[in-house]
Amino acid sequence: MSKNLCGRSFLKLLDFTTEEIEYLLDLSKEFKRLKMAGVPHRYLEGKNIVLLFEKTSTRTRCAFEVAGYDLGMGVTYLDPNSSQMGHKESIPDTARVLGRMYDGIEYRGFDQKIVEELAEFAGVPVWNGLTTEFHPTQMLADVLTIDEYFGGHKGKTLVFMGDARNNVANSLMVVCAKLGINFVACGPKENMPDKELVKTCKEIAEENKCTITLTDDVKKGTKDADVIYTDIWVSMGEDESLWEKRIKEMKPYQVTKEVMKNASDDAIFLHCLPSFHDLKTTVGRKIHEKYGLKEMEVTDGVFESRQSKVFEEAENRMHTIKVVMYATLK
């Protein structure tokens, strides 16, 4: 069923109903079909968007750019050194300038208050490409990937392993509660999501007949799970001095073959990327030299296994982001 989302910003999934999120997922499947079939879908020709990045990214930038071009739009990318926002120009002033030149604004950076303020003053749809608190476009790609593998998502169980205080875990908890997916945060007790957000999600989950569980027990937490999900232990923008502390805290929650065996027989592994699963990155080699770890949040054996759907998930960023822009600009 079609939903009218025209003119709305996409800041966090708490702002959207279950039906609206399901609509975006259904439309993503159709847009992916068009892309795979080579069918042009330049439905937003003549429109222009700007990508405002205070934190760099491979997948988010590429997904927004390709999706924008596929829809026929002009795309401007502003890296952290190409905008005066917050330096010589206030966020409201930046929003009002960009809103008069562009039909939509993507923001990827820091505090959620920044993207909320952009949306308040821009006068055009604003899309959250990532903030410290939430990562909503990633969630649509994650659920689309689950749908493609299992044929649906309702009633499935997703386990997030590691630091469950971050934007990915927050957003996973929200989308699971909204869509009837059982959510488990499996990590140290002191690294659990914000209590108020947990309370809100539990209320939403009850309406949608699913559960929210917080545990520090890996065996119990991952038992018979359908999806095992993790993220890097130190996020972009966090101080490198945190590595030693995080390694000690998170090593027991590394996704290993044993963890995957404890999950359901057809369980899949997801990761928002980038991942430190080998020594082929500068950061990976640096951590190995300092702490002796060859793998971090996930072992290479799991990352490269048939259960891993991380590259399908990465591709789905493009299809779902395309739909978010189309639905809010059409």
Side-chain angles (χ1 to χ4, degrees):
M1 182 184 294
S2 179
K3 297 285 179 184
N4 185 8
L5 304 182
C6 185
R8 287 178 62 179
S9 288
F10 191 77
L11 308 180
K12 60 184 185 298
L13 290 173
L14 286 169
D15 299 334
F16 291 81
T17 66
T18 296
E19 292 73 24
E20 287 168 340
I21 297 170
E22 294 280 12
Y23 164 68
L24 291 172
L25 288 167
D26 288 342
L27 198 56
S28 296
K29 293 167 190 173
E30 174 59 17
F31 272 48
K32 185 171 183 177
R33 185 192 67 78
L34 293 174
K35 177 78 172 177
M36 295 299 101
V39 178
H41 41 286
R42 299 172 64 85
Y43 301 146
L44 298 180
E45 200 152 13
K47 293 188 180 294
N48 295 283
I49 62 169
V50 60
L51 311 181
L52 192 56
F53 277 56
E54 290 193 304
K55 283 185 179 180
T56 57
S57 168
T58 301
R59 279 149 299 281
T60 303
R61 177 182 176 178
C62 293
F64 268 99
E65 286 196 351
V66 174
Y69 295 142
D70 281 355
L71 289 168
M73 294 192 290
V75 181
T76 300
Y77 172 73
L78 295 178
D79 67 26
N81 299 313
S82 299
S83 167
Q84 294 299 329
M85 187 181 78
H87 302 292
K88 294 181 180 178
E89 187 169 53
S90 69
I91 294 164
D93 288 359
T94 299
R96 286 179 286 192
V97 168
L98 295 178
R100 281 161 175 75
M101 297 182 181
Y102 294 96
D103 299 287
I105 301 168
E106 182 271 354
Y107 172 80
R108 177 183 170 91
F110 298 96
D111 201 296
Q112 180 74 14
K113 290 177 183 176
I114 298 174
V115 77
E116 300 275 355
E117 198 168 8
L118 283 170
E120 181 183 352
F121 289 96
V124 297
V126 173
W127 310 298
N128 181 357
L130 175 144
T131 61
T132 303
E133 293 87 352
F134 294 107
H135 197 2
T137 59
Q138 178 67 51
M139 299 306 105
L140 294 180
D142 297 340
V143 179
L144 178 59
T145 309
I146 292 168
D147 279 357
E148 289 175 339
Y149 184 76
F150 291 108
H153 53 259
K154 197 166 180 63
K156 298 297 179 186
T157 296
L158 182 148
V159 181
F160 180 86
M161 299 282 287
D163 186 358
R165 298 170 303 182
N166 72 9
N167 48 15
V168 171
N170 286 344
S171 298
L172 282 169
M173 183 166 62
V174 172
V175 79
C176 286
K178 290 274 186 178
L179 297 181
I181 302 168
N182 301 311
F183 174 79
V184 180
C186 185
K189 289 179 181 177
E190 60 273 22
N191 293 79
M192 288 297 161
D194 174 75
K195 289 181 181 178
E196 282 303 309
L197 183 60
V198 171
K199 181 183 175 184
T200 298
C201 288
K202 282 189 172 182
E203 291 169 358
I204 296 169
E206 190 173 350
E207 292 174 11
N208 293 307
K209 298 180 171 55
C210 59
T211 57
I212 304 292
T213 303
L214 311 180
T215 182
D216 61 353
D217 189 316
V218 174
K219 271 209 160 183
K220 287 182 180 177
T222 60
K223 182 66 177 171
D224 297 327
D226 300 292
V227 182
I228 302 293
Y229 198 121
T230 195
D231 193 4
I232 55 176
W233 292 340
V234 175
S235 299
M236 184 188 301
E238 291 189 307
D239 198 284
E240 286 189 8
S241 64
L242 288 171
W243 274 112
E244 185 173 4
K245 181 175 182 287
R246 291 285 172 82
I247 287 168
K248 287 178 182 176
E249 292 173 339
M250 299 302 155
K251 187 65 168 67
Y253 301 95
Q254 183 183 58
V255 180
T256 63
K257 286 185 177 180
E258 288 68 36
V259 167
M260 297 306 296
K261 284 177 184 176
N262 194 49
S264 67
D265 290 342
D266 58 352
I268 61 173
F269 170 72
L270 296 181
H271 191 308
C272 53
L273 302 181
S275 170
F276 299 126
H277 60 96
D278 56 25
L279 300 179
K280 297 177 183 176
T281 64
T282 303
V283 173
R285 289 190 294 272
K286 193 173 179 180
I287 296 300
H288 175 60
E289 288 168 10
K290 196 166 185 179
Y291 303 107
L293 284 182
K294 292 183 178 180
E295 308 156 311
M296 281 183 267
E297 74 280 0
V298 58
T299 63
D300 195 54
V302 171
F303 188 89
E304 297 292 355
S305 72
R306 295 177 66 181
Q307 289 174 291
S308 177
K309 305 300 174 187
V310 298
F311 296 111
E312 292 89 335
E313 179 187 11
E315 180 198 332
N316 283 338
R317 292 294 307 284
M318 174 181 63
H319 305 299
T320 50
I321 281 171
K322 185 184 297 182
V323 161
V324 168
M325 293 194 294
Y326 170 76
T328 55
L329 290 180
K330 66 180 179 178

